[in-house]
């Protein structure tokens, strides 16, 4: 009987303190929740900061890409214009003194060739072998002149990528060769003339004696 009363008293006391225990747990739960919210807010703030930095970086990257595209487009346009200019002969190349000299030299060499050919037919004091060698030299000179004039015209007007200065330089090189050919033809003619006149004088002297 006493034991039952003791049990009842303990039960009553326990039931009496239940509200107090429940009330004591509420602050504990609020503190934990607040701590979690603070931590969550901190994480969100950090994430927002990282996103802001990322957005700023992406903005700079996009701006740089746009500048690169613009620069590449400008460079491509300049390169295209430069290549087009190199493919198109400048007017001063076509009308340059070098081009005028090219055709003038051609005319001079042809004239010298025709004059020497005439002398070969009219000079009577030359040997056949001398005439043959002279004719071969003249024929070779004419062939070279034809080839050089063709090269000069091609260099001046070609659509290949060549600087105008390089075109003029190539023309000057051709002119040097043509001047050499003109000298060769003149030398042949002079040599034939001297031989013919010398032998003519000798024969005249022999006849006189």
């Amino acid at each position: 009987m006493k034991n039952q009363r003791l049990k009842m008293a303990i039960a009553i006391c326990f039931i009496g303190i239940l509200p107090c225990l429940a009330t004591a747990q509420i602050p504990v739960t609020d503190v934990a929740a607040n701590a979690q919210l603070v931590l969550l807010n901190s994480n969100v703030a950090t994430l927002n900061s990282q996103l802001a930095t990322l957005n700023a970086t992406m903005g700079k990257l996009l701006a740089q890409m746009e500048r690169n595209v613009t620069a590449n487009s400008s460079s491509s346009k300049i390169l295209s214009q430069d290549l087009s200019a190199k493919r198109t002969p400048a007017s001063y190349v076509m009308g340059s003194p070098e081009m005028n000299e090219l055709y003038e030299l051609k005319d001079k060499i042809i004239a010298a060739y025709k004059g020497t050919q005439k002398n070969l037919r009219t000079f009577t004091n030359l040997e056949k072998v001398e005439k043959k060698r002279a004719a071969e030299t003249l024929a070779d000179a004419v062939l070279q002149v034809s080839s050089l004039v063709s090269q000069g015209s091609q260099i001046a007007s070609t659509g290949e990528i060549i600087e105008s200065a390089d075109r003029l330089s190539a023309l000057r090189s051709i002119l040097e060769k043509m001047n050499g050919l003109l000298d060769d033809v003149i030398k042949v003619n002079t040599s034939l003339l001297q031989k013919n006149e010398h032998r003519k004088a000798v024969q005249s002297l022999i006849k006189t004696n």
Side-chain angles (χ1 to χ4, degrees):
M1 191 70 175
K2 289 182 179 180
N3 289 335
Q4 289 180 351
R5 290 180 180 176
L6 181 59
K7 291 179 179 180
M8 287 293 293
I10 292 173
I12 292 170
C13 290
F14 182 75
I15 292 171
I17 65 173
L18 278 175
C20 294
L21 290 176
T23 303
Q25 287 177 353
I26 291 174
V28 172
T29 301
D30 289 344
V31 169
N34 287 336
Q36 291 179 353
L37 286 174
V38 170
L39 180 60
L40 179 60
N41 290 334
S42 176
N43 290 338
V44 170
T46 300
L47 181 60
N48 286 336
S49 176
Q50 292 174 348
L51 287 174
T53 301
L54 179 61
N55 287 335
T57 302
M58 287 297 294
K60 292 180 180 179
L61 180 60
L62 289 174
Q64 184 61 46
M65 289 176 66
E66 290 178 358
R67 287 194 294 270
N68 291 341
V69 169
T70 301
N72 290 336
S73 178
S74 299
S75 298
S76 178
K77 184 176 181 180
I78 292 173
L79 178 60
S80 177
Q81 292 173 345
D82 184 50
L83 292 178
S84 178
K86 290 179 180 178
R87 287 193 178 98
T88 304
S91 59
Y92 69 82
V93 174
M94 298 299 295
S96 65
E98 287 81 359
M99 284 299 296
N100 293 332
E101 187 177 352
L102 180 74
Y103 294 110
E104 288 176 0
L105 276 174
K106 181 199 73 171
D107 292 339
K108 289 180 180 179
I109 293 172
I110 297 300
Y113 164 80
K114 290 180 178 180
T116 306
Q117 283 284 47
K118 181 180 178 181
N119 289 338
L120 284 174
R121 292 191 298 268
T122 58
F123 288 170
T124 59
N125 298 300
L126 297 175
E127 298 177 0
K128 289 184 178 180
V129 66
E130 292 173 336
K131 291 183 178 182
K132 181 181 178 181
R133 289 174 181 170
E136 290 174 350
T137 300
L138 293 174
D140 182 64
V142 170
L143 287 175
Q144 290 190 57
V145 167
S146 177
S147 176
L148 289 171
V149 171
S150 177
Q151 290 177 36
S153 299
Q154 177 68 13
I155 289 171
S157 61
T158 183
E160 294 181 7
I161 302 173
I162 306 175
E163 293 279 2
S164 294
D166 293 334
R167 293 176 191 265
L168 292 176
S169 177
L171 285 174
R172 294 186 190 104
S173 178
I174 289 174
L175 292 175
E176 289 180 7
K177 295 177 181 178
M178 292 184 66
N179 274 306
L181 289 175
L182 178 59
D183 290 340
D184 290 342
V185 173
I186 292 174
K187 287 178 182 178
V188 169
N189 188 61
T190 302
S191 176
L192 294 176
L193 178 61
Q194 289 174 346
K195 287 178 180 179
N196 187 71
E197 291 300 318
H198 174 71
R199 289 169 187 169
K200 183 178 178 180
V202 170
Q203 289 179 1
S204 177
L205 181 62
I206 293 173
K207 290 179 180 180
T208 301
N209 293 333

